[in-house]
Amino acid sequence: MKVLKINVLEAQDVNKNFSGLQALRNVNVKLKKQKIVGLIGPNGSGKSTLFNVITGIIPQDEGDSGQIYLNGKTTNHKKTHELVREGLVRTFQITQIFPMLTVLENMLLGAQSHPGENLSVVLIDLIKRLFKRFTWEASEKQFAESALEILRYLEIDHLALEKAEVLSGGQRKLLALGRALMTVGKVILLDEPVAGVNPTLSNQIFEKIDEIRKDDTTFFIVEHNMDVIMNSSDEIFVLSKGEIIAHGSPSEIQDDPKVLDAYLGNIEKD
């Protein structure tokens, strides 16, 4: 008997409007388990909007249409924190950290089942720790041990007790990835994970992504560094003016005239 493989993430005929401006038009995207999938396109093509719709940050309003599926189940109208509990997490182009908290404390904010799962509760708890010496409860020790294990894996555990404000741009990107892993996410959306990062650390980040995906994790990545995304992705979707204009392997995308036209404009041929 043939086993039907369900897409871990699927956007089906997604349309999104902002005051009459159509930001996404009939977008269809399918992601298989353990794949690294790139999403590229010129500035303003709708990449971040698609990420925001998928993760529930931008709700579907009247006039919008389409379905988002996570592991075969619709996610329409679910809140972002509900999707996180179901294994869908994302990072942002501008890394969101709490500079006056330590790297370890920033990691603990990503703990999916932290007793203070509500962000405000977690923050209050952690801020108190800046001024008082609390003893760790058993559950907190477990979260801290998990966080330290991930930091060791990402090779920034030596910074665990440093304030996050001292981190370099690349180290902040690693911290964002580590926080996503703390949620036990199985579908991770990364928004420009190596933007502003030196080539050596960029390669390190994508080497870690490639290792992590082998643990039943799928990555959907927006990235403007073409060398990195072409060398790391299994397949790539291309957005232009809110529409998917191409989908295929990196080599297919590189040779697609529609993609070249989207980036460079009409090319006059001899």
Side-chain angles (χ1 to χ4, degrees), residues 45-177:
S45 60
K47 301 183 297 296
S48 293
T49 299
L50 179 58
F51 268 26
N52 288 337
V53 169
I54 289 173
T55 54
I57 292 174
I58 295 178
Q60 288 185 308
D61 299 318
E62 185 177 352
D64 299 333
S65 60
Q67 298 287 328
I68 306 295
Y69 296 96
L70 182 64
N71 295 315
K73 298 179 180 179
T74 183
T75 67
N76 287 40
H77 308 300
K78 286 192 175 182
K79 304 294 185 183
T80 301
H81 67 274
E82 295 174 318
L83 296 176
V84 170
R85 292 194 192 105
E86 294 179 15
L88 176 65
V89 297
R90 70 165 291 182
T91 65
F92 293 84
Q93 179 180 353
I94 299 175
T95 309
Q96 299 181 336
I97 65 167
F98 296 90
M100 297 310 295
L101 299 180
T102 67
V103 170
L104 178 58
E105 288 165 340
N106 270 272
M107 286 287 289
L108 292 176
L109 292 177
Q112 181 177 2
S113 54
H114 191 284
E117 195 169 25
N118 180 291
L119 181 58
S120 62
V121 175
V122 178
L123 277 175
I124 291 170
D125 178 63
L126 291 176
I127 289 170
K128 285 180 179 178
R129 295 183 183 281
L130 295 177
F131 301 99
K132 294 185 179 181
R133 297 289 184 178
F134 284 91
T135 57
W136 291 93
E137 296 178 1
S139 60
E140 292 174 320
K141 285 183 179 179
Q142 182 179 353
F143 290 129
E145 289 169 359
S146 296
L148 287 170
E149 183 178 350
I150 291 171
L151 290 174
R152 278 193 293 270
Y153 175 71
L154 297 175
E155 300 179 31
I156 53 172
D157 54 300
H158 60 290
L159 299 168
L161 300 181
E162 298 288 342
K163 295 286 182 63
E165 64 181 353
V166 308
L167 298 182
S168 68
Q171 290 167 339
R172 291 182 182 212
K173 295 288 187 179
L174 284 168
L175 175 56
L177 177 58

Side-chain angles (χ1 to χ4, degrees), residues 183-198:
T183 66
V184 199
K186 288 301 181 182
V187 181
I188 300 178
L189 281 60
L190 303 179
D191 197 343
E192 298 196 43
V194 296
V197 178
N198 69 66

Side-chain angles (χ1 to χ4, degrees), residues 167-231:
L167 298 182
S168 68
Q171 290 167 339
R172 291 182 182 212
K173 295 288 187 179
L174 284 168
L175 175 56
L177 177 58
R179 227 165 36 192
L181 295 176
M182 281 291 290
T183 66
V184 199
K186 288 301 181 182
V187 181
I188 300 178
L189 281 60
L190 303 179
D191 197 343
E192 298 196 43
V194 296
V197 178
N198 69 66
T200 299
L201 194 48
S202 294
N203 291 333
Q204 178 187 340
I205 290 172
F206 268 88
E207 285 172 2
K208 296 300 184 185
I209 290 171
D210 188 49
E211 292 174 4
I212 294 165
R213 64 94 163 255
K214 296 171 185 175
D215 186 28
D216 286 338
T217 303
T218 301
F219 286 92
F220 196 19
I221 304 174
V222 168
E223 183 53 58
H224 286 291
N225 187 322
M226 288 297 105
D227 288 337
V228 168
I229 203 70
M230 290 295 174
N231 290 329

